[in-house]
Amino acid sequence: MTVEIRTQGVKPLRHTFGHIARRFGEKPASRYQEATYDVQSEVNFHYKPLWDPEHDLYDRRRTAVVMKDWYALKDPRQYFYGSYTMARAKQQEAVDRQMDFADKRGLLRELPDSARLAIVSALVPLRHYEWGANMNLCHVAAYGWGTAITQAAVMGTMDRLGMAQHLSRIGLLVDGNTGDSLAQAKRHWTDDPAWQGLRRQMETLFVTRDWFELLVAQTLVADGLLYPLFFQKFDAWLASRHGPGPSTVLDFLMRWQDETARWVDAVVKTAVGESAENRALIQTWVIHWRSVMLPALAPLAQAMMGDEGAAALADVDAALGARLVKLGLTA
């Protein structure tokens, strides 16, 4: 008896969804493309928003920036729900190991009183800054146009809650899980004069209506100054006096910022390159928010690092200027 086994290839009639094929051609598409492109609702809006009757529910006019194709603002990380959650799950496991390492060895709990006080007064209050950043990115996600930008903003909202939780856990490592550090940090945020400039600017961002301006102000200018100031300059200042213990739990914050900056830079550079009008508008926003964020951070730099604070803030501002030049803006 002879058994003959044959293989037969079946040619697919379609390789991807129709709207993806119309944009990229009839060929296999990536999961990011299928989850992102041309998903934005554009028709069949049944009512005007009662809180903003001048605009449609989803409206390109909610920002002064103009793009021929809003999907040009793609995410270089290629994050959609699946890839994003898998990446963050792996990172969370690494963070948990770092936290457990610091907790078991008392790296923060057994620091001198002056070091623990510095962490509670300089770092833990940033959990409130991160909550504010979460709110601002919620605005971008709600009123932005095009899934390429809004889905990345939604992921950013969850990242900022994660950063707030991370900073809270650092406070708990300092106080031995009593929660006293969190209460102290809140008092610093609401009452300490050094924090009121930053708090004031965060509250101003809450009422900034142009979502693209909000994106630039929060993720490019504010984060571009604050993250390296606190998690590089202050971290190095603290390590030079009390050892590298705190650095073990601060490392993730800067690695997350470096990754997120890739998305922010890609979005801003593309928008700037779209037209001279976009470039002039975004430049104006950068100049304004940089001019108010620097004075807001100056007293914090002084409070954290004393006489070295002004030089540290100048260094991070210069680095931001170099970054702006790469995006097609002026330093």
Side-chain angles (χ1 to χ4, degrees):
M1 180 178 178
T2 301
V3 178
E4 184 176 359
I5 301 176
R6 296 181 179 180
T7 59
Q8 184 176 1
V10 178
K11 184 178 180 180
L13 297 178
R14 299 176 63 182
H15 292 283
T16 186
F17 300 104
H19 65 283
I20 301 297
R22 286 189 290 274
R23 177 181 281 268
F24 297 107
E26 184 55 58
K27 58 183 179 181
S30 70
R31 295 294 298 275
Y32 175 75
Q33 290 173 333
E34 291 182 342
T36 303
Y37 285 90
D38 299 317
V39 180
Q40 171 72 56
S41 298
E42 298 191 42
V43 295
N44 300 327
F45 303 146
H46 300 298
Y47 56 89
K48 293 279 188 179
L50 297 178
W51 65 91
D52 187 11
E54 296 180 358
H55 294 99
D56 290 326
L57 190 61
Y58 301 107
D59 201 318
R60 291 177 174 86
R61 298 171 298 162
R62 290 185 185 276
T63 178
V65 170
V66 177
M67 297 290 296
K68 294 177 182 177
D69 179 12
W70 282 99
Y71 289 95
L73 306 178
K74 58 183 180 292
D75 185 349
R77 303 169 299 178
Q78 300 282 291
Y79 276 166
F80 60 98
Y81 178 79
S83 59
Y84 167 77
T85 53
M86 287 187 288
R88 290 294 182 263
K90 291 180 181 179
Q91 291 168 336
Q92 184 62 46
E93 291 176 0
V95 169
D96 287 341
R97 287 194 295 269
Q98 289 177 323
M99 288 289 186
D100 289 342
F101 179 87
D103 187 24
K104 290 178 180 178
R105 288 159 179 79
L107 296 183
L108 273 62
R109 187 173 57 253
E110 297 178 9
L111 285 170
D113 290 345
S114 60
R116 289 188 286 111
L117 179 62
I119 292 173
V120 172
S121 63
L123 295 180
V124 184
L126 290 173
R127 62 200 289 263
H128 301 283
Y129 170 85
E130 293 296 338
W131 177 84
N134 164 269
M135 294 292 290
N136 292 332
L137 284 171
C138 280
H139 182 97
V140 175
Y143 298 113
W145 181 270
T147 311
I149 194 75
T150 56
Q151 76 172 355
V154 166
M155 295 169 192
T157 66
M158 301 312 298
D159 283 346
R160 303 318 285 252
L161 287 183
M163 295 301 106
Q165 292 173 346
H166 188 77
L167 290 161
S168 300
R169 292 177 70 182
I170 290 174
L172 294 175
L173 289 176
V174 169
D175 66 23
N177 290 313
T178 65
D180 291 342
S181 63
L182 306 186
Q184 294 174 35
K186 184 176 180 180
R187 288 194 293 271
H188 281 296
W189 179 259
T190 58
D191 301 326
D192 189 336
W195 282 96
Q196 299 318 298
L198 180 61
R199 179 185 170 202
R200 182 178 299 109
Q201 296 311 319
M202 288 303 295
E203 293 178 355
T204 301
L205 286 174
F206 290 163
V207 293
T208 300
R209 300 195 67 181
D210 188 305
W211 64 265
F212 205 106
E213 179 184 2
L214 187 57
L215 181 71
V216 168
Q218 175 66 69
T219 63
L220 177 60
V221 179
D223 292 346
L225 292 170
L226 185 144
Y227 265 76
L229 178 64
F230 282 83
F231 305 125
Q232 285 183 337
K233 296 295 185 180
F234 177 64
D235 178 33
W237 183 91
L238 198 62
S240 68
R241 289 157 176 77
H242 303 290
S247 299
T248 61
V249 293
L250 295 177
D251 173 64
F252 173 71
L253 291 146
M254 272 312 302
R255 286 191 290 112
W256 172 85
Q257 168 62 8
D258 290 342
E259 179 213 278
T260 303
R262 291 177 53 215
W263 164 60
V264 175
D265 288 357
V267 168
V268 173
K269 186 174 183 178
T270 302
V272 166
E274 177 79 5
S275 66
E277 292 77 12
N278 280 359
R279 182 185 183 279
L281 180 63
I282 293 173
Q283 183 72 62
T284 300
W285 289 339
V286 168
I287 291 173
H288 167 70
W289 288 106
R290 199 174 173 191
S291 70
V292 297
M293 284 296 176
L294 282 170
L297 291 171
L300 287 170
Q302 173 72 24
M304 288 189 298
M305 293 174 278
D307 295 338
E308 299 176 39
L313 183 57
D315 286 346
V316 300
D317 182 50
L320 176 60
R323 180 180 171 191
L324 294 173
V325 171
K326 293 180 181 179
L327 303 182
L329 300 167
T330 57

